[in-house]
Amino acid sequence: MSKNAKNESLLLGDEAVGFAAIDAGLTGIFGYPGTPSTEVFEAVEAEFKKNGVANRVARWAANEKVGYEFALGCSYIGKRSMVTMKHVGLNVAMDPFVNSAITGVNGGLVVVVADDPGMHSSQNEQDSRYLADFANLPCLEPSTPQEAYDFTTYAFELSEKLRLPVLLRLVTRLAHTRGVVARQEMKEPTDLGIPNSESRFNWVLIPSNARLQYQRLRDNFGQLLEAADDFNKFKKGDRRGVVVSGMGKANFDQLCKEEATISKFSKLEVMAYPLNDSLIDKMLESCDEIYIFEENYPYIEDKFIAKTRQTKIRGRRDGTLNIAGELDPGVLRQALKLSMPEKKKGPTIDLPARPPRMCDGCGHIDAYNAMKEAFNIIGVSDPRVFGDIGCYTLGAQPPFEGIDTCVEMGASLGMALGAAMSGQVPSVGVIGDSTFFHSGLPTLISLVESKVNANFVIMDNRITAMTGQQEVVATDIIPQLAQAAGLLPEQVHILTPLPKKHEENVKKLVEIFKNNRPDLIIFKRDCIQAMRKGLYAKINEEKKAGGHGHE
Amino acid sequence: MSSDKLYGIIVAGVGGQGAITLAQLFLGAAWRSRLHTMQSEVHGMSQRGGSVNAQISISKAEVTAPLLLSGAVDLLISMEPLEALRYVPFLSKNATIITSTEPTINMDNYPDINLILGALREIPGTILVDTAEHAKKLANKNAGNMVLLGVASNYTPIDKTIWHTIIEERFASKGEKVVVKNIEAFDIGKKIIAPSS
Ligand code: SF4
């Protein structure tokens, strides 16, 4: 995208975060792909590729926990690092997240977590602000692409000042919104050196150290409040008031341009956490009625409700806004009882939905077709198959109805094995290769020992397809892994999901399903989209050079 | 777009048709015209052959909200007729609809196309563009989106030369020929005007 004299360009919220990290002297960015966070990493990776990466690194990890640990290691040696993930990824990275608050950091560490209010591409809409709170860490919440840039820049400084990781919270609508962003001059990677003799033992969380460090974390809470106070703005106005954060702020500010009355409200803008009680008190003193627009759990709202009986708190708890779902201009107008526009009259015919679907010719389709027929042949008329997260999740829909669950990364295998051990025959779990490396590997180890009729199906296309075809940490090693873990060669089956192989695959599956033992089935075929983009050339080249995965 | 009021545009289509690219051209053109602008788009699962839309706000005043107010959208550009109908409820009473007549049938229950086009014709302010025909005439199978953009450009306060620059920048990496072909298609669209209603 072209730039102008003010060093402005049009960037996605995600890209603004990535560029800010580079400009702030970032050394390492790590993470695991997940909508809507993926483009933060990709923006940095693309820049590194374009401009050379001397002393800098962008690397996808097997999962968010590993990504977080990469970033923490980078910080340990004094460099600025960033780790990116979607909201549910933070659940996976909880262990290092919470404990890095106890150890503290060295080089600035910014944890970018993109929440998904409205669940556009997620299994829940959990609110990461609670997790920052839980870990006693500061959290910044931008509301525009420019703020995404500015807050990221500041987050690195804050992280080094407080010696703590800083959580940067994004939501889908900011992550995937393009706007004008002015960039600052790019800094060379910074380096604070390794922890000195004084701070060296902070990192060793044996109880005697951990107690001291935890006490210090709690004692420093005042510093966190001070840092947040610099961001949060209170403005006294009418006895009606509003508290806004993130997309609540973005939407309310827009609305103020159209509605003079609401721009006179008393107003508290929350852009950083922890939120100081004194700001809540100021709002409560100034208002008889307060609207709270935040994305998306009633996090700030509950703090207000806890402090008042007199002031009416209008938000998600009293039904002014729905408890679930994302904010938009219409939701705010309705809450504030403002006029709604006169709409165009719509069509009178029923419009069928057009849900996303697997690409024509995708190997997943052939795999599901073969499984369906195999179940039929062995006489299971209503099979229940455990599924996972990836393009193949779309196989839950008709006409395939090939999986019956999608819970969290790796759940397919754990649930299939749990069901098998509890009496399900045959039990089948379907998972993609990237999801397998993310969270399925430990379950494979348990499979070997189980001796039950559990069948793990890996849809192996050697790419993280759904999020836009990112590289997987490793390719073509699953059969060796399985055998190293103790499966016999005859328990590992590599099938090619192609229409012309249908009969052969069905026959094989029937045998496997009937066999009363654990089996691993690898449906192996490259993703058509990744093939079209020419993404396998690099992977194949690396293979020839004798390595797998990155380097 | 005369007053200070925010001008809202929805670009709709089926995942993979290029709705986001088209929206980005709008964003770039508005920015070049020194207007305030913002654009939101969908990524991820929804891009996989499902219904997609991108929203663009253009204003003389600062824009902060990524999403448009449903029922107040001024212009709908749709690359697919069924998708055009889907977004009508987002439009304001006097909004303009510019849609391709070429269906993308990637579902079993796609309604009779004549029913769809008939419904569209009944909505005031609708311009049906036979993108397939234009693509054939121009011997450019990708011409449709640029023709639609050309038609839509008549409803924005953006200068023709800026549109040409934006198209040039966007497609420069694909070579001179692609740029020329796209501008040709855009100019044809620009000449299409609404049937008097
Ligand atoms: S992107 Fe690849 S894996 Fe996903 S549905 Fe399309 S072909 Fe299949």
Side-chain angles (χ1 to χ4, degrees), chain A residues 136-184:
Chain A
N136 299 292
L137 289 174
C139 170
L140 303 179
E141 187 178 19
S143 74
T144 62
Q146 182 68 58
E147 283 178 5
Y149 183 93
D150 296 339
F151 288 19
T152 305
T153 309
Y154 177 72
F156 281 103
E157 286 166 32
L158 184 64
S159 172
E160 284 173 7
K161 185 172 145 210
L162 300 174
R163 308 198 69 89
L164 288 175
V166 173
L167 192 146
L168 185 82
R169 185 206 187 207
L170 306 176
V171 294
T172 302
R173 292 303 177 184
L174 174 56
H176 291 164
T177 287
R178 271 173 215 280
V180 182
V181 175
R183 284 177 72 174
Q184 298 167 15

Side-chain angles (χ1 to χ4, degrees), chain B:
Chain B
M1 187 190 153
S2 46
S3 65
D4 276 0
K5 209 183 136 288
L6 182 139
Y7 190 77
I9 307 165
I10 290 183
V11 183
V14 176
Q17 276 193 312
I20 292 177
T21 304
L22 207 65
Q24 285 176 10
L25 293 173
F26 262 102
L27 181 78
W31 185 44
R32 273 301 160 84
S33 310
R34 297 177 190 284
L35 292 161
H36 292 272
T37 184
M38 207 178 239
Q39 174 235 327
S40 82
E41 54 196 49
V42 269
H43 291 203
M45 186 85 105
S46 41
Q47 274 173 303
R48 202 108 26 276
S51 164
V52 292
N53 78 85
Q55 311 195 355
I56 307 128
S57 308
I58 302 178
S59 176
K60 287 181 184 155
E62 199 197 354
V63 178
T64 57
L67 291 181
L68 298 167
L69 174 61
S70 176
V73 175
D74 303 281
L75 177 62
L76 169 66
I77 303 151
S78 182
M79 296 160 171
E80 209 280 342
L82 171 59
E83 295 312 312
L85 281 183
R86 200 185 303 286
Y87 291 94
V88 172
F90 287 81
L91 305 181
S92 76
K93 196 169 161 239
N94 298 318
T96 303
I97 301 172
I98 299 162
T99 177
S100 162
T101 53
E102 200 182 348
T104 300
I105 305 177
N106 63 353
M107 52 211 272
D108 298 333
N109 50 349
Y110 197 98
D112 178 359
I113 180 66
N114 292 318
L115 216 69
I116 303 260
L117 296 179
L120 278 165
R121 278 194 195 99
E122 271 171 35
I123 302 171
T126 303
I127 304 173
L128 297 177
V129 184
D130 191 343
T131 45
E133 181 63 25
H134 286 294
K136 206 158 83 193
K137 264 200 237 145
L138 290 166
N140 169 8
K141 69 175 174 24
N142 300 321
N145 289 356
M146 285 300 120
V147 175
L148 291 172
L149 185 68
V151 184
S153 71
N154 293 323
Y155 297 86
T156 65
I158 295 160
D159 206 74
K160 186 168 165 181
T161 55
I162 289 188
W163 281 115
H164 283 184
T165 315
I166 289 291
I167 295 171
E168 216 177 303
E169 280 178 8
R170 176 75 198 203
F171 297 102
S173 63
K174 301 204 165 144
E176 176 69 20
K177 221 175 122 196
V178 176
V179 172
V180 172
K181 284 210 157 258
N182 277 324
I183 288 182
E184 185 187 14
F186 174 88
D187 286 346
I188 291 210
K190 193 145 185 64
K191 289 194 200 103
I192 298 175
I193 31 172
S196 51
S197 49

Side-chain angles (χ1 to χ4, degrees), chain A residues 358-359 362 364 391 461 465 469 527-529, chain B residues 48:
Chain A
M358 290 182 281
C359 308
C362 173
H364 299 340
C391 286
N461 53 19
Q469 293 96 38
C527 158
I528 296 167
Q529 297 296 343
Chain B
R48 202 108 26 276

